[in-house]
């Protein structure tokens, strides 16, 4: 088309330039108020479309649709590319159970709400109305998990897995939407105020079964082809060649994305589902991280264009806004507050503890990018009318505004409300009595990593009572299995083969080398008052008592890195579904008690007698320890913490911890001793014996399935 009054062709530069200028200004404000730029793009688009500025910007209908489709393809491709299927492996039972409960309950409830408020008028629109309200924002969830450093915490791992299943469900829904789009009855003119529109007036329902079956068949064929490409290493070889230059990597990734999407559209399959599956296929490549990092800016560009044009495309008007915004506010309130509360209380019967349920509920409470894509596709396929689209669009905006607020308030709220919902219903006294555990002069481990595991094993070999407190249900199962298979063997040094004491001797050497009186760490510049001196003496005394009988043997091999991965231990609560928490019982008389509870709550500390402990060891490296240190200080209990960074070591020392276990420092010190011992050895035999011994220990670690499982988690 040519512009009136001249022969100049319509250009996309003018609308794109104005859009980016607006976004640049508004995004600064959104950053200050800690809001997502997704919201900024949507709001600007709604203002432009509702005020008629799109005509001034020369935004033709074809340009809007083109930008929306382009943004859809890019957003879905990168969503598939960033998928981490490994997150489903460790906690698959919990993730599948959470997902099934969330999807079925949310879709059912919101479908009923859509029908009850008369915005969804038939079965298909009610179903997709519920699905659109169920899809949380994967981008927002991952951003805030990263912002708070919660990816490695239990609720973060569970949310990552739930997001994978959610996004895959959304991609499958695109396939069915495309099938309905193929059977819609030509040019349909429907009064948006009319209710209970028959399905026969919207679609040729006699063809619905055939088209849906055909689409699902094509989907399985596509997945089979992509699976063959993955298993044959063809893609890996191709992209290893493409990654030699950034330009080639960009071209290769986009060629694969748009090529798969175009082929899908050619055979009558959803190109958007094709884009997601194309990205998902690349997520299994070894070069996946490299691809993501090099072309991630294109993702932001695609998302910005999509959200802006989606707002413009709605063409909001004043009467519709006034009539429908109350329903949007109600729906947003239910999504952000109502359903998380219902979910929080219901999932207690799954066996998850209060902290995990609370943080999942606070994070997974928005309608995000997949919801917006479903809304747009359903609107274009005439599954949604304009009213439904507007209600859902504004509900999405409101929930994305609420989520950052709840994220910044969740920690204060959790600390304030804390005790009443984190308290276990079963009595701690009965747990301690059932397992003959005495909460006096015992050792308390809060969380568990490699260092904590060695300390626990050593005290176990000495017959000292050890309480391990953490929130990880998978480790709960693994540890209970390890100890129940050795029922009655109270002081057995190795619960797998019964014969290897190397780990325990190494642990004792580590403790003796790291917590001796002359090396105990005190806060620099602080006055040595009598109470502080007594605490240090008690910590040193405990360490020396631990090290007695070990002969001062030191770590072998790589010191503290003999196990891989961060581990956490969990407790003995087995309330919940039997297939979620196996009905294992600890052997009566064992001196290790795993406790499935929140290690950060003072009420849990008091319940399990931490105020009367011989020693407290915190493996909660990334958590605030101010309250924990004050608790130990007030009760005159020695406190040791682990840390993996120098900055964390200094911070913990500033909190007046009696000792900080810095694994890198200790490994470096051990390496010095190892080098001194090897410097005079013949060149051909240097490190030969140590290397073989280290390998033997690692092999033994993998032979025991319970220890291997604990190390993996």
């Amino acid at each position: 088309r040519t512009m009136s009054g001249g022969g100049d062709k319509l250009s996309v530069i003018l609308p794109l330039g104005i859009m980016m200028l607006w976004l640049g200004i508004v995004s600064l404000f959104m950053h200050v108020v800690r809001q997502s730029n997704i919201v900024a793009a949507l709001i600007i688009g709604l203002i432009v479309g509702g005020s008629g500025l799109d005509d001034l910007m020369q935004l033709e209908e074809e340009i809007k649709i083109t930008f929306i489709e382009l943004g859809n393809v890019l957003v879905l491709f990168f969503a598939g590319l960033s998928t981490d299927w490994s997150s489903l492996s460790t906690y698959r039972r919990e993730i599948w159970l959470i997902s099934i409960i969330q999807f079925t309950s949310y879709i059912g409830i919101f479908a009923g709400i859509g029908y009850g408020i008369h915005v969804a008028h038939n079965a298909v629109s009610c179903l997709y109305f519920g699905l659109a309200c169920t899809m949380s924002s994967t981008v927002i969830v991952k951003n805030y998990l990263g912002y708070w450093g919660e990816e490695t915490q239990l609720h973060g791992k569970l949310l990552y897995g739930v997001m994978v299943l959610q996004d895959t469900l959304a991609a499958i829904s695109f396939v069915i939407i495309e099938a309905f789009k193929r059977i819609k009855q030509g040019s349909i003119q429907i009064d948006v105020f009319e209710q209970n529109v028959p399905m026969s007036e919207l679609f040729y329902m006699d063809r619905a079964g055939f088209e849906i079956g055909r689409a699902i068949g094509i989907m399985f064929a596509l997945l089979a082809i992509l699976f063959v490409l993955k298993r044959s290493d063809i893609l890996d070889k191709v992209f290893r060649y493409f990654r030699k230059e950034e330009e080639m990597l960009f071209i290769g990734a986009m060629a694969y994305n748009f090529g798969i999407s175009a082929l899908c559209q050619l055979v009558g399959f959803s190109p958007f589902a094709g884009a997601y599956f194309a990205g998902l296929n690349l997520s299994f490549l070894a070069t996946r991280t490299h691809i993501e990092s090099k072309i991630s800016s294109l993702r932001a560009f695609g998302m910005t264009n999509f959200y802006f044009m989606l707002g413009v495309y709605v063409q909001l008007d004043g009467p519709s806004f006034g009539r429908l915004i109350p329903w949007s506010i109600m729906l947003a309130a239910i999504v952000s507050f109502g359903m998380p509360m219902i979910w929080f209380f219901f999932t207690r019967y799954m066996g998850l503890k209060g902290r995990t349920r609370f943080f999942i509920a606070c994070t997974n409470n928005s309608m995000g990018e997949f919801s917006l894509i479903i809304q747009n596709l359903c609107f274009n396929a005439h599954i949604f009318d304009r009213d439904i689209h507007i209600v859902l669009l504004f509900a999405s905006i409101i929930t994305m505004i609420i989520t950052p607020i709840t994220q910044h308030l969740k920690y204060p709220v959790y600390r304030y409300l804390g005790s009443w919902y984190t308290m276990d219903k079963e009595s701690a006294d009965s747990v301690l009595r059932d397992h003959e555990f005495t909460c006096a002069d015992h050792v308390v481990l809060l969380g568990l990593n490699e260092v904590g595991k060695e300390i626990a094993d050593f005290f176990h070999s000495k017959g000292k009572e050890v309480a391990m407190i953490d929130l990880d249900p998978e480790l709960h199962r693994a540890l209970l299995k390890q100890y129940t298979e050795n029922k009655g063997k109270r002081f057995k040094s190795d619960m797998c083969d019964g014969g290897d004491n190397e780990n325990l001797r190494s642990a004792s050497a580590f403790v003796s080398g790291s917590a001796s009186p002359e090396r105990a760490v005190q806060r620099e510049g602080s006055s040595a008052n009598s109470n502080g001196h007594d605490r240090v003496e008690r910590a040193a005394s405990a360490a020396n008592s631990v090290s007695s009988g070990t002969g001062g043997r030191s770590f072998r091999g790589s010191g503290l890195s003999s196990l891989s991965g961060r581990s956490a231990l969990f407790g003995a609560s087995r309330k919940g579904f039997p297939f979620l928490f196996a009905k294992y019982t600890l052997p009566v008389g064992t001196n290790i008690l795993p406790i499935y509870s929140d290690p950060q709550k003072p009420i849990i500390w008091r319940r399990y007698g931490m105020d009367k402990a011989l020693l407290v060891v915190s493996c909660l490296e990334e958590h605030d320890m101010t309250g924990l240190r004050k608790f130990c200080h007030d009760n005159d209990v020695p406190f040791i913490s682990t840390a993996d960074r120098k900055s964390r070591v200094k911070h913990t020392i500033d909190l007046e911890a009696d000792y900080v276990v810095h694994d890198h420092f200790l490994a470096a010190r051990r390496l010095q001793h190892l080098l001194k011992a090897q410097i005079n050895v013949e060149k051909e035999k240097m490190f030969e014996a140590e290397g073989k011994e280290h390998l033997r220990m690692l092999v033994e670690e993998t032979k025991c399935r319970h220890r291997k499982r604990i190390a993996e988690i």
Side-chain angles (χ1 to χ4, degrees), residues 12 168 452 499 548 555:
V12 75
T168 305
S548 61
F555 256 156

Side-chain angles (χ1 to χ4, degrees), residues 522 528-537 633 636 658:
Q522 301 183 53
N529 58 54
S530 59
N531 289 336
H533 180 73
D534 290 343
R535 282 192 299 275
V536 174
E537 288 296 326
H633 184 276
D636 198 25
D658 294 315

Side-chain angles (χ1 to χ4, degrees), residues 568-584:
L569 286 182
F570 37 88
S573 172
R574 296 176 299 280
K575 183 176 181 179
F577 295 117
F579 55 86
L580 183 60
F581 292 98
K583 298 288 186 177
Y584 298 106

Side-chain angles (χ1 to χ4, degrees), residues 626-645:
T626 307
L628 175 60
R629 179 56 197 140
K630 185 178 185 302
F631 181 91
C632 293
H633 184 276
D634 292 345
N635 292 283
D636 198 25
V637 176
F639 171 55
I640 292 178
S641 175
T642 63
D644 59 354
R645 301 193 311 269

Side-chain angles (χ1 to χ4, degrees), residues 537-556:
E537 288 296 326
R538 286 181 59 190
S541 183
N544 285 334
S545 66
V546 167
S547 63
S548 61
T550 64
R553 296 188 59 176
S554 55
F555 256 156
R556 292 183 169 184

Side-chain angles (χ1 to χ4, degrees), residues 105-149:
S105 61
Y106 276 41
I107 291 173
I109 291 173
F110 284 114
I113 291 174
Y115 184 79
I117 63 177
H118 305 297
V119 294
H121 309 311
N122 52 62
V124 177
S125 63
C126 285
L127 177 64
Y128 273 97
F129 184 90
L131 187 63
C133 294
T134 303
M135 296 289 119
S136 298
S137 174
T138 304
V139 173
I140 291 178
V141 168
K142 289 185 176 180
N143 284 347
Y144 277 107
L145 288 177
Y147 177 83
W148 294 109

Side-chain angles (χ1 to χ4, degrees), residues 44 76 79-80 116 133 169 172 252 275 283 331 336 351 369-370 405 410 449 475 483 487 569 573 605 637 686 693:
I44 292 174
L76 292 169
C133 294
L169 175 64
I172 295 172
S283 70
L331 194 64
S336 297
E369 59 279 0
F370 277 90
I405 299 174
K410 66 181 181 181
N449 55 16
L475 281 168
Y483 285 104
K487 188 170 183 177
L569 286 182
S573 172
W605 305 340
V637 176
M686 189 174 291
E693 176 64 13

Side-chain angles (χ1 to χ4, degrees), residues 42-232:
L42 282 169
I43 291 176
I44 292 174
L46 287 168
I47 294 173
V48 169
S51 61
L53 289 175
D54 54 329
D55 294 331
L56 179 64
M57 295 169 61
Q58 302 174 7
L59 272 177
E60 296 295 314
E61 194 76 10
E62 293 81 3
I63 294 178
K64 299 174 189 176
I65 295 174
T66 299
F67 270 114
I68 290 174
E69 290 185 351
L70 178 64
N72 272 341
V73 170
L74 290 174
V75 169
L76 292 169
F77 172 75
F78 281 102
L81 183 62
S82 62
T83 299
D84 183 11
W85 280 91
S86 64
S87 61
L88 293 176
S89 59
T90 304
Y91 303 97
R92 52 187 176 276
R93 280 176 286 190
E94 290 83 1
I95 290 171
W96 277 100
L97 188 58
I98 290 172
S99 301
I100 290 171
I101 291 174
Q102 178 176 328
F103 297 158
T104 54
S105 61
Y106 276 41
I107 291 173
I109 291 173
F110 284 114
I113 291 174
Y115 184 79
I117 63 177
H118 305 297
V119 294
H121 309 311
N122 52 62
V124 177
S125 63
C126 285
L127 177 64
Y128 273 97
F129 184 90
L131 187 63
C133 294
T134 303
M135 296 289 119
S136 298
S137 174
T138 304
V139 173
I140 291 178
V141 168
K142 289 185 176 180
N143 284 347
Y144 277 107
L145 288 177
Y147 177 83
W148 294 109
E150 296 172 347
E151 306 100 318
T152 58
Q153 297 180 30
L154 178 61
H155 68 276
K157 295 175 182 178
L158 295 177
L159 279 173
Y160 265 91
V162 171
M163 292 299 106
V164 170
L165 297 181
Q166 171 195 276
D167 296 352
T168 305
L169 175 64
I172 295 172
S173 74
F174 303 156
V175 175
I176 300 175
I177 293 172
E178 185 69 20
F180 275 98
K181 191 175 180 180
R182 289 173 60 85
I183 62 173
K184 68 179 181 181
Q185 294 191 10
S187 178
I188 310 173
Q189 300 296 329
I190 301 174
D191 184 357
V192 296
F193 303 106
E194 184 181 352
Q195 299 180 8
N196 301 318
V197 180
M199 294 289 292
S200 58
E201 292 186 17
L202 298 173
F203 307 103
Y204 295 107
M205 294 305 296
D206 55 333
R207 292 172 48 197
F210 170 77
E211 289 294 341
I212 292 174
R214 173 182 173 276
I216 293 176
I218 294 174
M219 179 183 72
F220 280 110
L222 174 64
L223 292 176
I225 294 171
L226 297 178
F227 179 76
V228 170
L229 289 175
K230 171 188 173 294
R231 290 301 297 269
S232 62

